[in-house]
Amino acid sequence: MGMRVVLKRRTVRPYLNPQLDARVRYRRTLREAAALHDAKLAGVPAPTVYFVDPMGAEIIMEMIEGRRLKELLEEERRVDLMRVVGDYLGRLHGSGIVHGDPTTSNFVLSGEVLYALDFGLSFRSRSPRDQATDLHVLKEALESYHSDLFEESMKLLIEGYAGSFGGSREALAWLRRLESSGRYRGDRALERSLCLISGNRHKLQEMSVVAEAMGWRLRPCEGRKLEVQSDDLAEIALAAARAAAIPGSIVEDSGLFVRSLGGFPGPYSSYAMSTIGYRGLLKLMEGVEDRAARFESAIAYTDQAGRIRVFTARVCGAIAEEPAGTGGFGFDPVFIPAGYSRTFAEMDLREKSWISHRGIAMSRLLRWLEAYGGARGAPRGRRPHRDAEARGASAQTLYSARPIAAGGWPGPTRTRGASRTPRGRRP
Ligand code: ITT
């Protein structure tokens, strides 16, 4: 019919209990489709749902083409639209719908009509506390990305909100209460969403696998990642997080360390990849018996109060004699993790994501957030990393995953098909 549509499919998560996974995907699909429908009934333009298959966890919906509110604010200073956004949020809340992720990227102006998109995190609630989390998500997006328009935007937003929602006073009172407490534990929408600052889409994909399985949502941040020069990945990640200063964001820095090359390329992996590539690395290692290598990852998380914490992890393995596989990115075709006989590039996204340095660091961060999300200070039983203290990184705390093999390098250095160390730990 020449009509452009969006197919949204919630994929199977093979590492979860299949029945539980099927139930969650079924429910979320129905919930999203219902929210899209109910939003329209409430007078909020949203994509029309054409087809829902809850068993297959699929929704086919109208594609809304236009410009995102985020760009309209940045490029044309269309602050007037904030009154419309306030009106929409008020209508949704008045109908018992909490959007869950009402950032400026999730409103699109198509012709003269502003549409609300992405109800994937929405849920039914009439609690002013849940309504306040919606307001907070939007307020945070305005503060982070449109700070010059912040005051005016908020004023219009609240005007629109109060105009369409009788319960606005209570929701706004909750917003003030939440913000003054500085803690958001229990606020589903806030607590379970992070954004990643990175120019590398593979990182987002890999980390999303882990995040989604643990009930979190990871979305890209618009900020640019600052790259400083350092021999230490944690320091690089920390500097990038400090420069971005976006609450609720993460940055990740990673590198491949090859033992026979004295740890090269290490923190210079991105540069090495764009210059000599993995073929160049194989050339450097021609005839070299010792193939031991490891990937390391450092994730710096900035909390709502601007404190930064760094979580690190590593995965040991070996450099293959020759490249294999087409998946992944960077040095994946030549890295075989310990306990496996295939390269990262021969694994599918999910398998790699769970055993990779990045996936392990991500799951450590999320486990920490689950346990201590809004709490101040270091978790019980965990001490700040010695190196972080030694370098005077006192304002931050650094949590490190234990190396998989003693000394940080795997024992045997054989490569493809050889018998090797026990299977790599799964988070
Ligand atoms: P951002 O800085 O924008 O996040 P980047 O790709 O430049 O993206 P890094 O500065 O952290 O990321 O560089 C890490 C480099 O190390 C990356 O470009 C790859 O070449 C390599 N690398 C890191 N993790 C890898 C992985 O899981 N598989 C393959 N190569 C990896």
Side-chain angles (χ1 to χ4, degrees):
M1 289 192 289
M3 198 165 59
R4 299 190 70 190
V5 297
V6 174
L7 168 65
K8 182 162 178 179
R9 179 182 297 134
R10 289 186 161 77
T11 49
V12 175
R13 292 164 296 179
Y15 31 80
L16 290 188
N17 173 308
Q19 279 162 354
L20 177 69
D21 183 42
R23 205 159 56 220
V24 171
R25 292 188 312 125
Y26 181 93
R27 279 215 202 116
R28 289 198 180 151
T29 304
L30 277 184
R31 197 158 64 188
E32 180 169 0
L36 283 162
H37 179 70
D38 293 346
K40 287 162 94 78
L41 291 181
V44 175
T48 301
V49 174
Y50 295 125
F51 177 75
V52 188
D53 172 14
M55 298 302 286
E58 282 182 3
I59 303 178
I60 296 178
M61 62 183 108
E62 180 185 3
M63 174 181 271
I64 305 295
E65 303 193 65
R67 295 184 65 203
R68 292 186 305 164
L69 176 61
K70 187 169 190 306
E71 292 150 15
L72 292 163
L73 285 173
E74 266 164 18
E75 292 157 24
E76 294 174 23
R77 303 177 70 86
R78 287 290 308 271
V79 195
D80 55 304
L81 291 172
M82 289 312 300
R83 194 196 300 271
V84 183
V85 172
D87 174 75
Y88 287 1
L89 277 186
R91 286 169 185 272
L92 292 175
H93 292 175
S95 303
I97 305 164
V98 174
H99 183 283
D101 193 22
T103 62
T104 48
S105 297
N106 282 336
F107 292 91
V108 165
L109 186 67
S110 178
E112 292 300 304
V113 182
L114 189 68
Y115 282 81
L117 307 182
D118 199 353
F119 284 71
L121 289 179
S122 67
F123 54 94
R124 288 229 145 246
S125 168
R126 290 191 182 269
S127 148
R129 185 188 165 94
D130 288 335
Q131 292 158 355
T133 64
D134 253 1
L135 295 171
H136 180 83
V137 169
L138 183 53
K139 190 171 173 189
E140 206 182 39
L142 291 169
E143 232 166 0
S144 307
Y145 301 122
H146 316 287
S147 51
D148 54 330
L149 302 175
F150 178 72
E151 301 290 335
E152 204 183 342
S153 300
M154 280 308 293
K155 188 170 159 282
L156 291 170
L157 174 81
I158 291 170
E159 271 177 27
Y161 188 62
S164 65
F165 179 38
S168 62
R169 280 169 67 122
E170 281 158 286
L172 288 164
W174 260 104
L175 177 65
R176 284 190 291 277
R177 210 177 302 173
L178 287 177
E179 291 180 341
S180 62
S181 76
R183 294 182 57 161
Y184 306 106
R185 291 181 69 95
D187 300 335
R188 286 169 276 181
L190 269 184
E191 210 187 320
R192 310 196 73 85
S193 174
L194 294 171
C195 72
L196 171 71
I197 307 164
S198 172
N200 183 334
R201 71 186 164 84
H202 298 278
K203 288 188 179 183
L204 182 72
Q205 286 170 347
E206 288 183 11
M207 292 161 98
S208 294
V209 167
V210 175
E212 279 173 23
M214 294 177 72
W216 286 72
R217 173 176 169 139
L218 186 64
R219 55 184 204 284
C221 281
E222 296 295 327
R224 276 196 45 211
K225 181 180 164 202
L226 174 82
E227 293 279 353
V228 298
Q229 293 243 322
S230 165
D231 287 342
D232 185 321
L233 297 181
E235 267 180 19
I236 299 173
L238 199 58
R242 268 202 205 116
I246 301 176
S249 69
I250 55 177
V251 291
E252 194 257 7
D253 211 78
S254 45
L256 175 67
F257 296 74
V258 181
R259 180 163 68 185
S260 59
L261 301 178
F264 178 83
Y268 310 103
S269 295
S270 186
Y271 180 70
M273 186 64 210
S274 60
T275 48
I276 61 171
Y278 63 77
R279 292 188 189 280
L281 178 71
L282 287 184
K283 233 175 168 32
L284 288 177
M285 293 188 67
E286 259 170 21
V288 175
E289 175 85 356
D290 177 5
R291 316 288 299 183
R294 65 171 189 255
F295 268 121
E296 290 195 6
S297 164
I299 298 180
Y301 161 67
T302 305
D303 72 12
Q304 299 297 332
R307 291 175 300 236
I308 302 171
R309 291 185 173 81
V310 182
F311 296 77
T312 65
R314 55 178 60 175
V315 59
C316 294
I319 299 297
E321 299 287 349
E322 53 197 47
T326 54
F329 70 102
F331 294 98
D332 279 349
V334 296
F335 183 80
I336 303 175
Y340 292 79
S341 52
R342 288 168 293 139
T343 66
F344 267 164
E346 290 176 287
M347 298 179 179
D348 70 19
L349 174 68
R350 276 159 213 289
E351 187 176 13
K352 181 198 163 185
S353 304
W354 279 108
I355 60 171
S356 77
H357 46 309
R358 186 170 299 107
I360 297 171
M362 186 69 182
S363 72
R364 290 176 72 85
L365 160 66
L366 296 181
R367 282 205 303 265
W368 184 87
L369 281 171
E370 297 284 357
Y372 306 98
R376 291 170 201 285
R380 261 175 292 133
R382 292 257 171 79
R383 293 173 55 78
H385 191 283
R386 242 181 325 123
D387 294 346
E389 285 180 328
R391 280 192 302 271
S394 53
Q396 294 78 35
T397 314
L398 197 136
Y399 301 105
S400 168
R402 260 175 286 135
I404 289 170
W409 299 105
T413 55
R414 291 189 209 99
T415 53
R416 305 181 67 77
S419 73
R420 50 186 67 254
T421 46
R423 286 180 79 79
R425 289 188 309 152
R426 279 174 183 270

